[in-house]
Amino acid sequence: TAVTGEKWTREDVDKACERVANMLRVITAMSFQIHEKTNNLRNTHDRPTEWVFTKDPDLKPFEEGTDKMDRDDVELALDMFYEEMGWDKKTGIPTKATLEKLGLGYMAEDLKAIGLLPG
């Protein structure tokens, strides 16, 4: 407020940040469709490297002394994150409802026009 003269609440800042995160996600989805020929960010963009699952063959995930991860746990974490963000759990792309809630309905229409948004 001191800099811009506009009155922003914490909720206003949070919503603005959420809008930016979703705008970037839409741009990423479009870019991956063009350059990587994929409509699924979950299966391409959001994958951890293989070594986090296969390193330390004698140790179990989360065992002391390793940073090895469990595949099922990572998938559950993605589900939880996507749900919190309002993104499709199968593709990792923001849903139409999420984009509309943030005043980004035009981006939902753009996604739909290029086959990245069902319905």
Side-chain angles (χ1 to χ4, degrees), residues 15-26 85 87 94:
K15 186 171 184 177
C17 291
E18 190 176 356
R19 283 174 49 88
V20 169
N22 278 275
M23 293 168 102
L24 289 172
R25 189 66 173 185
V26 167
M85 293 300 291
W87 298 350

Side-chain angles (χ1 to χ4, degrees), residues 97-114:
T98 296
L99 294 171
E100 287 177 344
K101 175 187 85 170
L102 296 170
L104 301 172
Y106 66 94
M107 293 189 103
E109 293 304 316
D110 291 344
L111 287 174
K112 185 178 178 183
I114 61 172

Side-chain angles (χ1 to χ4, degrees), residues 31-42:
S31 176
F32 264 64
Q33 184 188 54
I34 294 167
H35 300 290
E36 302 297 325
K37 309 296 186 236
T38 182
N39 293 343
N40 191 313
L41 293 179
R42 182 178 188 130

Side-chain angles (χ1 to χ4, degrees), residues 75-102:
E75 292 304 317
L76 175 62
L78 278 174
D79 281 347
M80 293 168 66
F81 180 73
Y82 291 165
E83 185 173 334
E84 185 66 27
M85 293 300 291
W87 298 350
D88 181 79
K89 284 185 184 179
K90 184 177 178 182
T91 65
I93 295 173
T95 65
K96 181 178 180 179
T98 296
L99 294 171
E100 287 177 344
K101 175 187 85 170
L102 296 170

